[in-house]
Amino acid sequence: MSRAEVTRLLHLGEQGDISAVDELLPLVYDELRALARRVLSNEARQPTLATVDLVHEAYLKLVDQTRVSWQGRGHFMAVAAMAMRRIVVDRARKRKRIKRGGDGQHVQFDENIDALSEDKAEEVILIDLTLHRLAEIDDRAARIVECRYFAGLSVEETASALGCSPVTVKRSWRAAKSWLRKELDRAS
Amino acid sequence: MDSGRWERLQALFDEIVELTPTQRADALARLCPDDDVLRDEVAAMLAADDADPGFLEDSVAELAGLDGLELPVGASVGPYRIIRLLGEGGMGMVYEAERDDDHFQRRVALKVIKKGMDTRRVVKRFRAERQILASLAHPNVAHLFDGGLTDDGSPFFAMELVDGAPIDSYCIDNNIPLPRRLELMRDVCSAVQHAHQNLVVHRDLKPGNVLVTADGTVKLLDFGIAKLLDESGGTDLPATVEGPRPMTPDFASPEQIRGEPLTTAADIYSLGVLLHVLLTDRRPYDLTSITSHELYAAVEALTPPRPSDSDVPWASRLRGDLDVIVQTAMHTDVARRYRSAEALAHDLERHAGGHPIAARRDSMGYRTSKFLRRNRVGVAVLAGVFIMTLAFAVAMGRQAHLISHQSQEIATERDRAEEITGLLVDMFDISNPYGEHEASGDTMMVRDFLQLSGDHMLEELDDQPELRATMAHLLGHLSGNMGQYERAHRLTSLGLELRRVLYAGDHPDIATSLDYLGTIHQKIGETDEAVGYFRESLAMRRRLYPSPHLLLAESLNNMSWVLDGTGDAEQIVGLDTEALAMRRTLLGDDHPDVAQSLNNLAVTFYFDGDFAAAEPMYREALAIRRRAFGPDHPYVANTINNLARLLRDTDRYAEADTLFAAAIDIWERALGVDHPRISAGHYNRALTAEQLGDLPRAITSMTRALDIDRTSLPAGHLYIGGDALELGRLLLLADRAADAIDPLREALAIYEAQDQPSAEDVAQARDLLSRALAATEEGAS
């Protein structure tokens, strides 16, 4: 996959081309997965890389930074957060299947699957589902949670990813967290 | 729930969540009296917020099986115990930690490298930071206590825990008055000066790295990307850091944005930005929204904005000195910045004491205005003179236009008004590097005036296109001479546009507009555009002036100027020869413009190897310039230097030596002994002295050239390598092999570190070095 391609899609996305985001997402998803796999296989005993580092590393690898604005960087982070959410949720689902003796196919990425406890996997899946509901009422709040929680972006990075102010991010983040907590409590 | 309801829910939650538990119930009932369901929802969210404040705060990293990154509270790192996570940098995590042994209790900031990020590069940078900090001991630099390895082998170090706020928010939040802000800035300068003296460039100075504690002490943090200046000593650090450059564009110097080697001057620039922030509560530029590609182009053309243009209540107190201090620190030209953080601090101190600042030392206008300001009248007088002159020009012009050409007298008055404006244009020409045109008080006032009244005046002339075009052109020229190229371009283009409508076909004014547009493009480095405008202007003037004409000569000269360096010597010689002939015819043989043409031609011939043609031209140009400018003008020195080089190249060393000495003497008096321009003089003189058999003097001169280049050029510059190599060679010739080793090593290192090292240079440096080493061994044995 060429950097030029990702950079071009980023430009289109910045200009409001939604289909560019659809094309970009799988590229970023694959890269993030590959990076995660590499980290986990190299350091099977001590997997030590935060999602946010993966996102940053993917950015350095996929994007020609001399040709992308700081807004473009934010845009990439937003897409990467979406991808990271999918990766994490997929992994949580897989974790549950393994527990049930399901179809856990053996891939390198899963060698370390024990690091994810079943309870946590359950919680991630629930958060993901509840987040879909939040997105219907307040899409931006859901995106903020995606950036903060799944990609590990800072408040400032999240603000730049979603094109809003840090104050808005902080406000919305706190309300969305409390609402999610409340919804999860009610479900359990 | 629909989104309207969600908005209301969120607004309520926002409003109430900051209240105490008892206030909450009241507020909830008061703000939402009519909707039980909504009230319950808010209450449940508040309860959730209370019960589980850390919910989702740990990002999902751990859940993805990617955990192990963060050390848990209570974990031991060496003699320290983790209390909490303070923050996360690019390469490490920073914790608050406690050292708890029998003797004392101390809280520290513990920096631990991230696992998984511990690539060789990161570990190197991390170690470098530790080494840097260890070399610094200053009350305004966060102190390093100790360092070591964690149980799993990651490097860590413990440093002073600074409980403070970033300097910008400290000033805003505490309403710090201007004089105190300047004091804080002097403390910052003092810390940076200390770092520089220890051969450390910080490279990422910004408010987040400059904290102020509750008692008002400044602390400089994070030498994470600092670079040791001393290449040989900084063994842990690569000369260039590969990979992305961590930096903060709003605070980064143009050379840093361009990715060039950095010297202490880069920090001086960042200090200028920081000062701007403290003076105005805002950053001078917002560079976050443009691509780095545009960034590269933009930094070339930036003129640092003046703090006094901001809207802080004390903006008027920033006009003058503080404007100049910020602009000097932030000068795009490294050579024109403050030489050191200490020099910047001194000027802040002088300003505080009401003394003239050094940045404006050379400006007569400044001294006058400094004097006048004490009397509170100077500002108005100087600005008034200028405004009146322009208004006069406009009024006279308008009258002349109304009466058309009936009255010769009024037309003459109009010409005179334009002439006065033209004089002002020249008066504020900052493009002349030898003039006294530092951003002086009067220049500033004119600039103020231009921005305030220039556009207004042009609007008023809406029904007078001819005069409007003239004023647009003059104002454009004036802006250009003051370095405001963007504005100059806009106004000059407007003039051209109006003139093209006014006059069908060729017209002298159109040619003038084209010519000046070419000049603007040339000045901002857009050579192709410049060539286009100059070519069009030249063609038009050829049609307009079939016989010799000074404007035609100017076009020819500009054309050769813009083509210089393209290697088309034949075309350049053609243009210059034609211009020279015209100027001789029209101005006589003894005019400075004739000297300019002669000098240009001679330079072209010299580089073409035609010394016989070049020599008489240099001599004639020199004679003219001596008469026109006086014997001590820098222009005279330039021609002397050119001639001396030619003499040296044709083996006439005695005369060359005298002339080099004369040029150096003039430069030193006009520009100061350390001016970068002068190093070439010393270099040349050293090689001439060698030819004359005077090795000791050759060595002195070469040492001088090396010293100047070291202070004025970025570390690792090829010129420094050249100076060092020649110095080493001369020392070797003088049987001082032991002294030759260091400079030769330096030269070799610089040659080898070039992007495309010259095999010949490297081989020569190696050869000389091995001879020096061999000679020392012989001597020892």
Side-chain angles (χ1 to χ4, degrees):
Chain A
M1 164 192 3
S2 78
R3 283 169 70 149
E5 176 65 4
V6 172
T7 309
R8 188 183 66 81
L9 289 171
L10 218 44
H11 276 297
L12 291 175
E14 246 182 297
Q15 286 152 18
D17 185 341
I18 307 286
S19 64
V21 176
D22 291 342
E23 282 184 65
L24 196 54
L25 187 57
L27 299 181
V28 176
Y29 179 92
D30 288 348
E31 182 62 32
L32 284 170
R33 265 189 66 106
L35 285 171
R37 196 176 287 145
R38 202 195 65 209
V39 169
L40 293 174
S41 61
N42 284 350
E43 303 199 28
R45 294 199 137 260
Q46 278 186 311
T48 50
L49 201 62
T51 48
V52 68
D53 296 318
L54 290 181
V55 169
H56 287 159
E57 200 169 335
Y59 178 72
L60 295 182
K61 204 164 161 192
L62 288 181
V63 179
D64 177 0
Q65 293 142 78
T66 59
R67 306 194 52 85
V68 169
S69 72
W70 292 68
Q71 285 153 355
R73 182 180 189 276
H75 185 67
F76 179 91
M77 293 301 162
V79 175
M82 270 183 229
M84 205 68 221
R85 176 174 167 189
R86 288 192 189 180
I87 291 173
V88 169
V89 173
D90 286 353
R91 194 163 148 69
R93 293 218 180 90
K94 203 166 271 176
R95 173 77 183 91
K96 284 191 69 180
R97 280 202 298 275
I98 289 171
K99 174 68 181 170
R100 287 198 213 101
D103 62 353
Q105 52 196 149
H106 188 84
V107 290
Q108 269 186 309
F109 184 64
D110 293 325
E111 279 170 6
N112 216 52
I113 205 103
D114 288 345
L116 189 65
S117 75
E118 206 201 350
D119 287 351
K120 291 273 187 184
E122 181 81 41
E123 191 184 60
V124 169
I125 294 166
L126 267 178
I127 288 173
D128 178 59
L129 289 173
T130 320
L131 211 47
H132 280 299
R133 287 207 287 122
L134 179 60
E136 283 164 25
I137 343 169
D138 184 348
D139 184 52
R140 188 167 66 190
R143 303 285 301 279
I144 287 171
V145 175
E146 199 166 77
C147 289
R148 299 277 289 130
Y149 178 62
F150 285 101
L153 300 185
S154 69
V155 169
E156 284 70 23
E157 281 177 315
T158 303
S160 119
L162 302 179
C164 53
S165 75
V167 178
T168 306
V169 171
K170 277 189 201 159
R171 230 180 105 243
S172 207
W173 167 237
R174 191 162 183 189
K177 265 193 326 174
S178 303
W179 184 81
L180 281 170
R181 180 75 262 174
K182 172 180 76 85
E183 291 297 300
L184 291 187
D185 289 346
R186 207 171 60 182
S188 63
Chain B
M1 184 164 27
D2 61 23
S3 53
R5 196 169 166 78
W6 164 257
E7 292 234 332
R8 188 151 179 231
L9 177 67
Q10 197 181 347
L12 280 171
F13 175 80
D14 256 4
E15 176 118 21
I16 297 170
V17 72
E18 299 292 350
L19 305 175
T20 64
T22 41
Q23 289 171 326
R24 277 181 178 179
D26 289 350
L28 195 51
R30 183 165 43 82
L31 293 169
C32 182
D34 52 337
D35 190 336
D36 293 349
V37 181
L38 195 62
R39 212 162 50 224
D40 289 348
E41 290 243 2
V42 176
M45 279 170 68
L46 291 169
D49 185 72
D50 280 346
D52 193 1
F55 178 59
L56 302 190
E57 286 292 349
D58 298 326
S59 84
V60 76
E62 180 203 5
L63 308 178
L66 304 171
D67 59 343
L69 182 66
E70 191 182 325
L71 294 166
V73 169
S76 295
V77 174
Y80 299 94
R81 200 169 49 77
I82 301 286
I83 296 173
R84 68 193 174 100
L85 180 68
L86 287 176
E88 192 178 340
M91 57 184 180
M93 314 282 282
V94 187
Y95 303 90
E96 181 175 348
E98 196 174 38
R99 185 188 174 113
D100 202 1
D101 54 33
D102 295 343
H103 306 295
F104 59 110
Q105 232 181 355
R106 177 153 71 186
R107 294 222 159 177
V108 299
L110 200 70
K111 216 164 180 178
V112 185
I113 203 164
K114 275 181 196 173
K115 289 287 285 182
M117 287 303 267
D118 51 357
T119 58
R120 265 184 51 235
R121 181 164 65 88
V122 171
V123 173
K124 263 184 184 174
R125 268 175 48 195
F126 197 79
R127 287 219 186 104
E129 180 178 358
R130 205 180 124 184
Q131 185 185 337
I132 288 160
L133 278 173
S135 71
L136 301 180
H138 188 276
N140 300 119
V141 176
H143 196 68
L144 178 75
F145 295 130
D146 66 14
L149 293 179
T150 62
D151 290 345
D152 58 2
S154 302
F156 77 87
F157 57 87
M159 51 196 277
E160 185 179 352
L161 181 65
V162 180
D163 184 11
I167 191 165
D168 55 343
S169 39
Y170 171 84
C171 287
I172 295 174
D173 295 346
N174 298 298
N175 248 326
I176 302 295
L178 183 59
R180 175 67 188 135
R181 290 180 182 216
L182 296 178
E183 274 174 36
L184 289 172
M185 194 62 209
R186 271 147 60 191
D187 289 345
V188 179
C189 288
S190 159
V192 172
Q193 175 73 18
H194 176 76
H196 288 179
Q197 277 168 346
N198 284 280
L199 304 172
V200 173
V201 187
H202 188 289
R203 304 211 290 184
D204 195 20
L205 288 168
K206 58 181 177 186
N209 284 336
V210 182
L211 301 189
V212 183
T213 62
D215 68 354
T217 310
V218 168
K219 290 283 181 187
L220 208 57
L221 306 182
D222 202 356
F223 282 84
I225 64 167
K227 174 192 171 203
L228 286 176
L229 274 181
D230 178 13
E231 302 289 347
S232 56
T235 46
D236 268 347
L237 224 61
T240 51
V241 178
E242 72 256 39
R245 293 184 301 280
M247 58 159 183
T248 314
D250 288 358
F251 286 87
S253 59
E255 63 268 28
Q256 189 164 13
I257 285 170
R258 286 194 297 264
E260 291 167 6
L262 297 182
T263 65
T264 52
D267 280 352
I268 305 292
Y269 182 93
S270 304
L271 284 173
V273 181
L274 196 61
L275 176 60
H276 188 285
V277 170
L278 292 193
L279 295 177
T280 66
D281 290 343
R282 86 169 54 138
R283 297 177 180 195
Y285 307 118
D286 181 6
L287 297 178
T288 47
S289 61
I290 62 178
T291 67
S292 29
H293 198 63
E294 291 163 343
L295 208 58
Y296 286 58
V299 293
E300 298 296 341
L302 287 178
T303 315
R306 289 174 309 141
S308 63
D309 286 341
S310 72
D311 50 10
V312 284
W314 54 72
S316 62
R317 286 158 69 191
L318 307 179
R319 179 158 307 143
D321 282 353
L322 291 169
D323 279 339
V324 174
I325 293 175
V326 167
Q327 292 193 313
T328 306
M330 288 180 69
H331 210 290
T332 42
D333 180 358
V334 173
R336 295 184 64 181
R337 285 185 208 147
Y338 284 107
R339 285 293 175 82
S340 65
E342 195 175 22
L344 171 55
H346 279 165
D347 258 2
L348 289 173
E349 212 170 299
R350 285 190 201 103
H351 168 73
H355 301 293
I357 59 170
R360 308 165 90 182
R361 180 174 51 203
D362 299 331
S363 159
M364 194 63 196
Y366 164 66
R367 285 205 166 155
T368 317
S369 82
K370 190 81 195 167
F371 169 76
L372 289 173
R373 190 146 334 161
R374 292 202 192 113
N375 300 291
R376 295 271 161 203
V377 291
V379 178
V381 170
L382 282 170
V385 166
F386 184 74
I387 290 166
M388 278 170 61
T389 310
L390 269 193
F392 178 67
V394 170
M396 283 331 254
R398 170 171 293 181
Q399 231 173 325
H401 182 85
L402 287 177
I403 307 174
S404 188
H405 298 294
Q406 287 173 3
S407 163
Q408 181 60 40
E409 199 179 332
I410 286 176
T412 314
E413 280 303 318
R414 188 193 114 161
D415 288 347
R416 190 172 298 164
E418 279 183 14
E419 196 180 319
I420 292 169
T421 318
L423 280 176
L424 282 163
V425 168
D426 290 341
M427 208 169 112
F428 296 109
D429 184 359
I430 58 159
S431 63
N432 175 1
Y434 304 123
E436 293 185 311
H437 301 291
E438 292 292 315
S440 58
D442 36 14
T443 312
M444 298 242 176
M445 275 176 297
V446 174
R447 204 186 305 189
D448 278 347
F449 163 74
L450 280 177
Q451 259 148 14
L452 287 171
S453 318
D455 289 332
H456 179 68
M457 200 180 290
L458 287 174
E459 256 168 51
E460 275 203 343
L461 290 170
D462 202 22
D463 54 342
Q464 308 280 324
E466 190 181 345
L467 195 54
R468 189 160 176 241
T470 305
M471 289 317 295
H473 181 80
L474 285 173
L475 287 169
H477 203 149
L478 192 45
S479 302
N481 278 358
M482 292 196 300
Q484 299 173 308
Y485 295 119
E486 197 180 309
R487 192 180 156 77
H489 187 266
R490 185 165 55 75
L491 289 167
T492 313
S493 300
L494 172 68
L496 176 62
E497 222 171 89
L498 290 167
R499 284 168 172 174
R500 288 223 203 247
V501 175
L502 276 168
Y503 318 112
D506 298 342
H507 190 280
D509 288 352
I510 294 180
T512 305
S513 290
L514 289 167
D515 191 66
Y516 193 61
L517 273 175
T519 304
I520 295 169
H521 281 290
Q522 169 81 339
K523 285 198 174 173
I524 59 179
E526 293 173 355
T527 310
D528 289 349
E529 284 84 352
V531 169
Y533 283 116
F534 283 143
R535 182 164 287 144
E536 196 182 344
S537 169
L538 176 60
M540 193 176 284
R541 282 176 172 167
R542 276 197 196 281
R543 290 192 297 269
L544 286 166
Y545 312 113
S547 50
H549 194 283
L550 285 180
L551 288 172
L552 185 51
E554 185 188 287
S555 269
L556 292 164
N557 187 63
N558 286 345
M559 201 64 206
S560 105
W561 174 46
V562 76
L563 291 176
D564 188 28
T566 57
D568 191 350
E570 198 179 321
Q571 195 185 353
I572 294 171
V573 166
L575 291 163
D576 282 330
T577 309
E578 196 181 349
L580 175 63
M582 266 180 217
R583 284 174 167 173
R584 276 197 202 276
T585 312
L586 297 164
L587 300 168
D589 288 338
D590 207 18
H591 192 279
D593 285 358
V594 172
Q596 182 193 37
S597 287
L598 283 166
N599 190 66
N600 293 352
L601 261 178
V603 169
T604 311
F605 282 129
Y606 170 80
F607 281 108
D608 224 29
D610 191 348
F611 298 140
E615 186 179 340
M617 291 184 169
Y618 276 141
R619 289 195 188 274
E620 190 183 349
L622 179 58
I624 297 171
R625 284 188 163 169
R626 274 195 173 131
R627 279 192 297 270
F629 300 117
D632 291 339
H633 194 281
Y635 282 156
V636 173
N638 292 354
T639 308
I640 293 178
N641 185 60
N642 288 345
L643 176 58
R645 243 175 6 176
L646 183 144
L647 293 169
R648 188 197 63 209
D649 292 349
T650 47
D651 302 333
R652 284 170 286 172
Y653 298 109
E655 195 187 351
D657 189 59
T658 318
L659 288 178
F660 278 131
I664 292 169
D665 182 50
I666 296 174
W667 278 327
E668 284 187 341
R669 273 183 288 140
L671 308 171
V673 290
D674 292 327
H675 195 280
R677 178 78 184 78
I678 307 178
S679 77
H682 290 295
Y683 179 93
N684 285 323
R685 190 156 187 238
L687 297 185
T688 316
E690 179 196 356
Q691 292 296 334
L692 292 169
D694 189 347
L695 275 178
R697 216 190 60 217
I699 288 167
T700 316
S701 290
M702 197 57 83
T703 308
R704 192 78 197 97
L706 181 58
D707 285 347
I708 294 176
D709 282 340
R710 268 213 191 102
T711 48
S712 62
L713 296 172
H717 195 284
L718 204 51
Y719 285 1
I720 302 175
D723 298 341
L725 181 90
E726 292 298 338
L727 179 59
R729 190 178 58 78
L730 292 168
L731 287 165
L732 203 53
L733 278 175
D735 288 329
R736 290 169 58 187
D739 297 333
I741 291 173
D742 277 352
L744 290 172
R745 281 217 167 104
E746 183 180 2
L748 181 59
I750 289 174
Y751 286 148
E752 283 178 337
Q754 297 299 312
D755 283 342
Q756 289 166 326
S758 144
E760 198 185 323
D761 287 347
V762 171
Q764 195 191 357
R766 277 225 181 91
D767 172 53
L768 288 168
L769 181 58
S770 61
R771 278 199 271 162
L773 289 169
T776 10
E777 272 167 26
E778 273 169 32
S781 62

